[in-house]
Amino acid sequence: AQKITQTQPGMFVQEKEAVTLDCTYDTSDPSYGLFWYKQPSSGEMIFLIYQGSYDQQNATEGRYSLNFQKARKSANLVISASQLGDSAMYFCAMREGAGGYQKVTFGTGTKLQVIP
Amino acid sequence: NAGVMQNPRHLVRRRGQEARLRCSPMKGHSHVYWYRQLPEEGLKFMVYLQKENIIDESGMPKERFSAEFPKEGPSILRIQQVVRGDSAAYFCASSPGLGRANEQYFGPGTRLTVT
């Protein structure tokens, strides 16, 4: 079974609109964390946001927020007020375990294109 | 404070040659992860190293691939006798230590092309 599932291979959004990128995860570990990374066409991996499984509130970083629904095992990324520079691949990832060794698993990504 | 550095950024090798990819972690980081990204795919975990110690190599192909992180110097991912299927982007990430995987910082990647 896939540990991280991103069901949207590609998404379009109008500039200045908000967009939600979906991510569901599968783990039996009570302690885990969820990340989103952005990969522009230049190829580097840019960390956007992190949510721990015990965090009470949804994580926010500027225009990025993580809609964490623990019971549904979803961790969707919301980008508000999209900009042309947001066009990129977006990867959801999960780390499992607390303390000790933690492995990180990535999803297959969603390609976001922002339309002027 | 310099970020994670990888070199070379681009590497071209003929089939059968060896590829050596280097990763210098962020200052103060003693743990390194290597990931491979095939074209149009996400990152796949390969190996997790601490200085002088391999913690998890469950994602490494059984043959031709090896990794090390010596006491001094960068971490090295070595691919012997490369084949076309090894063409990919190889990323390394560093973290301050065990239990801090949420603090992984990625390097810019090395793009390997096997001709």
Side-chain angles (χ1 to χ4, degrees):
Chain A
Q2 292 285 343
K3 283 192 174 280
I4 293 285
T5 302
Q6 293 181 255
T7 57
Q8 305 154 313
M11 290 278 287
F12 290 91
V13 64
Q14 203 75 39
E15 194 178 7
K16 298 179 187 170
E17 296 289 313
V19 63
T20 298
L21 306 184
D22 294 343
C23 174
T24 56
Y25 59 91
D26 181 29
T27 181
S28 56
D29 199 316
S31 178
Y32 55 91
L34 298 148
F35 307 75
W36 279 91
Y37 287 88
K38 173 184 178 181
Q39 187 177 44
S41 57
S42 51
E44 71 269 32
M45 294 291 287
I46 302 168
F47 167 77
L48 295 179
I49 197 165
Y50 172 79
Q51 177 90 39
S53 58
Y54 294 120
D55 293 344
Q56 293 296 316
Q57 294 191 329
N58 286 348
T60 60
E61 291 285 347
R63 294 186 298 112
Y64 304 108
S65 59
L66 200 152
N67 184 2
F68 181 45
Q69 297 188 42
K70 201 169 182 176
R72 296 179 60 184
K73 293 191 173 179
S74 75
N76 298 340
L77 176 71
V78 180
I79 306 174
S80 61
S82 298
Q83 301 171 357
L84 294 177
D86 293 335
S87 294
M89 283 291 289
Y90 288 80
F91 292 97
C92 180
M94 176 175 66
R95 66 110 184 118
E96 295 170 277
Y101 166 55
Q102 299 170 334
K103 184 185 284 188
V104 178
T105 306
F106 282 79
T108 52
T110 294
K111 185 171 183 177
L112 177 66
Q113 295 184 67
V114 180
I115 306 164
Chain B
N1 185 14
V4 179
M5 298 176 67
Q6 289 187 250
N7 66 81
R9 295 290 306 275
H10 299 274
L11 181 61
V12 179
R13 284 287 178 266
R14 290 202 184 99
R15 277 179 298 168
Q17 290 185 318
E18 178 180 287
R20 290 170 75 89
L21 287 63
R22 287 176 289 278
C23 169
S24 296
M26 283 182 71
K27 189 175 180 181
H29 286 193
S30 57
H31 291 242
V32 164
Y33 301 76
W34 283 95
Y35 296 88
R36 175 164 67 174
Q37 185 180 30
L38 294 170
E40 309 298 321
E41 293 188 14
L43 275 69
K44 294 278 170 47
F45 167 80
M46 297 182 76
V47 63
Y48 175 29
L49 308 110
Q50 188 181 11
K51 280 202 181 277
E52 300 184 282
N53 190 25
I54 295 175
I55 298 176
D56 182 356
E57 57 182 346
S58 59
M60 288 275 272
K62 293 284 187 278
E63 297 175 349
R64 303 187 296 109
F65 285 71
S66 62
E68 62 175 7
F69 189 15
K71 190 176 180 182
E72 300 291 336
S75 175
I76 307 284
L77 179 67
R78 184 180 175 213
I79 312 172
Q80 295 177 290
Q81 298 172 353
V82 296
V83 300
R84 288 232 171 93
D86 297 333
S87 294
Y90 292 82
F91 288 91
C92 88
S94 72
S95 74
L98 277 174
R100 299 177 71 174
N102 52 302
E103 296 177 60
Q104 282 190 63
Y105 295 87
F106 279 83
T110 293
R111 273 142 192 88
L112 173 66
T113 302
V114 179
T115 61

